[in-house]
Amino acid sequence: CDLTGWWENDLGSRMHVLEVDSEGNFSGEYHTAVSNTEKPIQPSPLVGSQHLDKDGQCTFGFTVNWKFSDSTAVFVGQCFAGDNGGELLQTSWLLREKVDSLPSDWKATR
């Protein structure tokens, strides 16, 4: 699985991975199409790593530092061969929003 390039999800968010090095490390930008903030959405930097498995069905993870909000997201996933011969990424994510106090911690992670 070559993560280098542009990827788009079902909601229209796009990820651009610049280059995956020989150790599986990569960086890029995430362009989200969804947000619950009233601030203008901006492309945000991402940093991650992947296993470089010979079968091409690698696992990977990356962190996005949102530039338009006080939150951070982490994604983990795996690459699969798609029906049309392309590659498909299946991911799960967690989003941590900043809260004002410890009693509000319960609502900070989605």
Side-chain angles (χ1 to χ4, degrees):
C1 181
D2 183 4
L3 293 179
T4 303
W6 286 95
W7 297 88
E8 185 171 344
N9 71 13
D10 297 340
L11 299 175
S13 295
R14 297 180 337 134
M15 172 177 75
H16 184 213
V17 175
L18 299 174
E19 181 181 0
V20 179
D21 70 19
S22 62
E23 298 295 315
N25 301 308
F26 60 89
S27 63
E29 282 190 328
Y30 200 93
H31 301 247
T32 188
V34 296
S35 173
N36 68 352
T37 182
E38 294 180 16
K39 296 179 183 176
I41 294 174
Q42 299 175 25
S44 299
L46 67 85
V47 176
S49 64
Q50 76 171 92
H51 283 276
L52 301 173
D53 299 338
K54 293 186 187 333
D55 68 2
Q57 298 192 103
C58 65
T59 60
F60 60 89
F62 60 91
T63 302
V64 179
N65 178 12
W66 301 113
K67 287 301 177 191
F68 55 90
S69 70
D70 291 332
S71 60
T72 303
V74 292
F75 293 77
V76 293
Q78 185 172 347
C79 183
F80 294 96
D83 293 336
N84 62 358
E87 295 172 327
L88 177 71
L89 305 182
Q90 284 296 122
T91 62
S92 296
W93 57 269
L94 287 172
L95 176 74
R96 176 65 188 215
E97 295 179 298
K98 181 181 174 182
V99 292
D100 294 330
S101 64
L102 184 57
S104 297
D105 184 63
W106 69 271
K107 64 182 180 180
T109 303
R110 290 191 268 167

